[in-house]
């Protein structure tokens, strides 16, 4: 069955404490290759049937209204896997 | 007749019994409400208690905000019923868009538990009328995701309209913008805050005060305020 992937990230201007702590831990392991980490979420929505425009539109609406909180997060992708 | 204050229990609520006890100590009748019902049982006011509803899955308060009883809570709030959200309850109010902004992980990354000094900024809400504006109170705070954020535009509006109900004093324990600890809506019936008034309602179990250990009962006036506000409307 097809899958729609929704990706949500904390807004770039907001502090991401989990990402910051992870970046700190990477630095402690001796790596200086990566200067920052931001952590987001990936949702995999299994579709019962064909992915039509209407299904994609519903996924987009769900992503914006429920899977993300637009005050603190952005939906960065809604796509068929 | 005692004022009836409902306390909603969600899966993962922790402080629902404490909130019920606080209601009784303030002289009200506590009514247990269940997240899966569509029934407010004729209560006069509602408390959304602290805890980790639905395991904080998705976002803190997000799934609870869509639970069955919340459609009735939102309608009642919009009709003027006093609604108080404490900690996870505050997160639920924000996710329900009854209050603006959002709550994110504490800026220092750790869970924090301390007796917290606050300033009452707005003493004309349904839950703060027994205070004077500028009063300083101490009630417990315990959260991992209590950092209040909103856009600058929203923050300026909140400040301009006097909708910041409580502000952190001494230390900002979680990185909340402009030291915001709690908010009210324009009408003053919906109030949300991260610290826990229900844990400072009974001598022997509250924060320490200069007078005696664990004697702090500053939280009691939240519930007394709601009772007064309901009685004033009758």
């Amino acid at each position: 069955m097809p899958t729609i992937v929704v990706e949500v990230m904390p807004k770039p201007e907001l502090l991401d404490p989990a990402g910051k702590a992870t970046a700190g831990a990477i630095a402690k392991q001796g790596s200086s290759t990566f200067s920052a980490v931001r952590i987001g979420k990936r949702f995999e929505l299994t579709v019962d049937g064909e992915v039509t425009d209407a299904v994609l539109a519903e996924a987009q609406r769900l992503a914006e209204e429920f899977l993300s909180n637009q005050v603190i997060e952005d939906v960065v992708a809604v796509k068929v896997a | 007749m005692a004022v009836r204050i409902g306390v909603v229990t969600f899966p993962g609520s922790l402080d629902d019994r404490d909130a019920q006890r606080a209601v009784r100590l303030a002289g009200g009748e506590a009514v247990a409400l269940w997240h899966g019902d569509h029934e407010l049982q004729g209560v006069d006011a509602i408390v959304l208690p602290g805890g980790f509803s639905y395991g904080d899955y998705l976002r803190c308060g997000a799934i609870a905000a869509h639970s069955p009883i919340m459609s009735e809570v939102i309608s009642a709030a919009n009709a003027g019923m006093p609604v108080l959200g404490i900690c996870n309850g505050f997160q639920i109010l924000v996710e329900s868009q009854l209050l603006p902004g959002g709550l994110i992980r504490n800026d220092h990354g750790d869970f924090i538990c301390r007796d917290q000094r606050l300033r009452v900024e707005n003493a004309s809400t349904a839950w703060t009328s027994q205070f004077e504006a500028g009063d300083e109170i101490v009630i417990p705070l315990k959260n991992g995701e209590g950092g209040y954020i909103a856009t600058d535009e929203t923050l300026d509006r909140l400040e301009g309209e006097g909708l910041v109900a409580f502000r952190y004093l001494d230390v900002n324990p979680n990185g909340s913008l402009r030291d915001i600890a709690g908010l009210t809506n324009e009408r003053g019936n919906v109030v949300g805050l991260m610290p826990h008034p229900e844990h400072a309602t009974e001598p022997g179990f509250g924060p320490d005060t200069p007078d005696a250990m664990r004697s702090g009962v500053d939280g009691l006036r939240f519930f007394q305020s709601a009772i007064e506000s309901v009685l004033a409307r009758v």
Side-chain angles (χ1 to χ4, degrees), chain A residues 14-15 17-18 41 43 66-69 71-73, chain B residues 58-59 62-63 66 95 101-102 104-107 149:
Chain A
L14 294 179
L15 181 67
K41 291 178 189 154
F43 301 84
F66 184 56
L67 299 180
S68 70
N69 176 347
V71 176
I72 56 178
E73 297 167 321
Chain B
L58 188 57
R59 294 175 305 278
I63 296 180
H66 288 81
E95 283 286 345
I104 61 169
R105 191 172 294 276
N106 296 346
D107 58 351
I149 57 160

Side-chain angles (χ1 to χ4, degrees), chain B residues 188-208:
Chain B
N189 63 309
V190 177
V191 172
L193 78 168
M194 286 313 295
H196 288 259
E198 80 282 20
H199 294 327
T201 53
E202 187 171 13
F205 299 91
D208 292 345

Side-chain angles (χ1 to χ4, degrees), chain B residues 67-79:
Chain B
S67 62
I69 203 165
M70 282 307 294
S71 50
E72 277 70 27
V73 172
I74 291 167
S75 301
N78 287 331

Side-chain angles (χ1 to χ4, degrees), chain B residues 5-201:
Chain B
I5 301 184
V7 179
V8 181
T9 299
F10 299 92
S13 292
L14 289 182
D15 300 319
D16 43 345
R17 296 297 184 95
D18 300 59
Q20 291 173 17
R21 186 171 177 79
V23 167
R24 288 192 293 270
L25 287 165
E29 178 187 343
V31 179
L33 300 177
W34 182 240
H35 73 104
D37 292 341
H38 279 288
E39 176 54 63
L40 296 182
Q41 299 184 32
V43 296
D44 304 301
I46 296 169
V47 177
L48 304 178
F52 300 88
S53 58
Y54 295 91
D56 279 351
Y57 292 169
L58 188 57
R59 294 175 305 278
C60 300
I63 296 180
H66 288 81
S67 62
I69 203 165
M70 282 307 294
S71 50
E72 277 70 27
V73 172
I74 291 167
S75 301
N78 287 331
M81 185 184 286
V83 176
L84 176 68
I86 303 167
C87 195
N88 190 222
F90 184 21
Q91 293 163 337
I92 295 169
L93 289 177
V94 164
E95 283 286 345
S96 305
Q97 296 178 359
L98 284 170
L99 293 174
L103 291 149
I104 61 169
R105 191 172 294 276
N106 296 346
D107 58 351
H108 46 76
D110 292 328
F111 191 92
I112 188 164
C113 182
R114 69 193 305 271
D115 292 339
Q116 177 70 45
R117 212 154 68 89
L118 305 174
R119 185 169 56 237
V120 179
E121 300 282 14
N122 183 332
S124 51
T125 79
W127 297 93
T128 58
S129 60
Q130 300 292 302
F131 295 103
E132 300 287 334
D135 274 359
E136 295 183 5
I137 63 174
V138 178
I139 60 177
L141 170 89
K142 42 171 194 167
N143 67 68
E145 304 199 23
Y148 181 74
I149 57 160
T151 61
D152 283 339
E153 187 189 352
T154 301
L155 291 168
D156 289 342
R157 184 178 66 81
L158 290 170
E159 303 269 13
E161 297 180 8
L163 303 181
V164 176
F166 304 95
R167 226 183 283 269
Y168 296 116
L169 291 178
D170 301 336
V171 293
N172 181 331
N174 44 31
S176 291
L177 296 179
R178 307 205 189 172
D179 298 334
I180 290 173
L183 296 176
T184 176
N185 64 350
E186 288 82 352
R187 197 165 173 172
N189 63 309
V190 177
V191 172
L193 78 168
M194 286 313 295
H196 288 259
E198 80 282 20
H199 294 327
T201 53

